[in-house]
Amino acid sequence: MSDRGDKNLLDRFEKLFDLYENNRELKLNFTEPFIVRIRQQGYKQFSKDFYIPFDALYTNAMKDAMSRLVKNRSIGGCNLGYLTHNEINLVYTGCNPSNYDVLLSSMTISQLVSWISSMMTSYFNEALLNQIDRQEKENGNRQEHQRLDLDIYKDALFKAEFKVNAFNIPKKCIYDYLYLKSWNCVRNSTVIASLAVMTDKDRVGKKAIELEKILKDKGMDVNNIHWNYRYGVLCVKTKENNKSKTEFVYLDKPLSQGGTNIIAKNKKDILHLLNGQNLGNIKQLNIL
């Protein structure tokens, strides 16, 4: 497989999952697996003053918001979240609707995504404010030239908007969906990196592989992009002493081809995470 994933397989998955996403007025079957996809709208304008190409404070706020969504019992049944830049995917493995007030109300997709969008907006704003407060304290211990400009984040407070989709997905396709998102993250990280050194005129219309070559000629190797941005971050819900908690799992490579018939080591690990099994003090999931 190429270092950009199996393009034919990725294209097939893209079309397949697009079909699942498009009928928003059907009611979800909450006893079957479903995906909630949260994507920030107008990200380019929202982040225009942030540090480029990748902003750690923004990413940390998104991670904190994802963690709260994964753990939130009111939309229970979620054991896994996956953050890729300005998009969060929550995987719900199916549950008994009678256990959860929101699911019991049998919302349409439109009603559910509106409710989750409001929750995500609230969580993100709280997380961003907490990040600002933390950085203000750290700025007090830094030299003036090392201090982070926090005004750009204060200006962004309460301006983020999120679009949410929700759709059922066959259990055997969960890994395939994560595989698709993993390689989309790799591709998008190349595009985002190019924003820092290329004009829109030079960049628009070029494929990721072309951008990689241009960036390399300019002295930037996309393979050295921090894994937080290159491969995304998983958030898993586990139990410790009968209490739920969340952990972040950092990928050092993109997910390998799973398909529906191949059970690779990393696919087994992901399925264990989906089942809520505690894999111990895992901080790094090495993908073979």
Side-chain angles (χ1 to χ4, degrees), residues 98-117:
S98 64
N99 291 338
Y100 306 103
D101 292 339
V102 173
L103 306 191
L104 185 62
S105 66
S106 192
M107 291 182 173
T108 64
I109 295 177
S110 294
Q111 290 170 321
L112 180 65
V113 299
S114 176
W115 188 81
I116 293 179
S117 178

Side-chain angles (χ1 to χ4, degrees), residues 7 51 151 176 275:
K7 188 177 185 307
Y51 289 87
D151 288 338
D176 297 337
N275 291 331

Side-chain angles (χ1 to χ4, degrees), residues 24 28 39-40 66 83 122 237 280:
R24 294 170 61 84
L28 287 173
R39 180 179 295 166
Q40 185 180 350
M66 173 175 64
L83 170 65
S122 175
K237 181 165 63 180

